Amino acid sequence: MNLIVKHEVTEQDQSELFDGLRRYNQQFVNLSEWSHLAVYFRDESGVMQGGVIARQQGEWLDIKYLWVHESQRGNGLGRELMLRAMQEAVAIGCRHALVDTFSFQALPFYQKLGFEEQMTLADFPHKGMQRHYLIKDLPA
C-alpha cells in the first residue's frame, strides 16, 4: 500500500477524488438536484459588498458562505441576501436550509432569521470557541 501525504491539494487530486466520490454517491442520490446558488450585492462601482454562496443538495439549501463588507453591516444587507437565497432555494425545490457558524461569527443573526440550532461542537476550531449547526424549514 502506497499512502501519499500532502499538505496542499492539487486541482487534479481533488478532481480525481471528487469524480470517484460522485460515481459512488449517484447510486443513492440524484446528483442532478445538486447545484450551486449564489446571491451577490455590488455597489455602483461594481465592487462586491456582500454575498451568499450555497449549494442545493436535493431538498436542502446548504449555505456555505455569507459575507457582508464591514461598511454594510447593520443595514439589513445580510438579511436581504439570505432571504433572497432562501426564496430562490424554494423556487428550485428546497424544503430546508442548513448553515454552520463559529461562535465569533453570526449565531444570533441566523437565529433571528428563524434558524434553530441542532448541534454545537465545543473547542472548534480552538479551545473556547464553538461551531454551531443550524437548520430551518423553508416555506412551501
Side-chain angles (χ1 to χ4, degrees):
M1 183 178 295
N2 184 22
L3 299 179
I4 301 165
V5 177
K6 292 182 167 183
H7 291 269
E8 293 207 17
V9 178
T10 67
E11 288 291 326
Q12 179 182 345
D13 289 341
Q14 180 171 303
S15 179
E16 207 172 327
L17 189 143
F18 284 177
D19 287 347
L21 183 59
R22 282 185 199 103
R23 277 193 304 276
Y24 177 79
N25 288 348
Q26 68 188 6
Q27 301 172 74
F28 306 100
V29 295
N30 181 358
L31 296 180
S32 70
E33 296 176 337
W34 290 41
S35 63
H36 296 279
L37 173 63
V39 180
Y40 305 117
F41 173 72
R42 295 182 182 277
D43 65 17
E44 304 79 31
S45 303
V47 176
M48 186 176 293
Q49 297 295 308
V52 174
I53 294 178
R55 294 230 353 131
Q56 176 194 14
Q57 295 178 303
E59 294 182 344
W60 284 82
L61 177 68
D62 184 2
I63 300 153
K64 299 293 189 182
Y65 309 102
L66 168 65
W67 171 73
V68 175
H69 190 277
E70 291 80 7
S71 67
Q72 298 292 327
R73 292 182 185 165
N75 71 3
L77 177 58
R79 178 180 171 77
E80 289 303 313
L81 289 165
M82 287 294 296
L83 291 176
R84 183 64 182 98
M86 290 187 288
Q87 179 183 27
E88 184 62 24
V90 169
I92 61 175
C94 293
R95 297 179 48 215
H96 316 279
L98 164 71
V99 67
D100 68 274
T101 188
F102 294 109
S103 53
F104 57 86
Q105 290 178 323
L107 178 62
F109 169 80
Y110 291 116
Q111 290 170 324
K112 286 180 191 173
L113 288 174
F115 283 83
E116 296 180 7
E117 191 167 359
Q118 295 297 299
M119 181 179 81
T120 297
L121 294 177
D123 297 327
F124 189 96
H126 298 288
K127 188 168 180 63
M129 296 179 182
Q130 300 86 38
R131 186 170 186 177
H132 306 280
Y133 291 85
L134 302 99
I135 64 170
K136 176 178 178 154
D137 289 333
L138 300 176

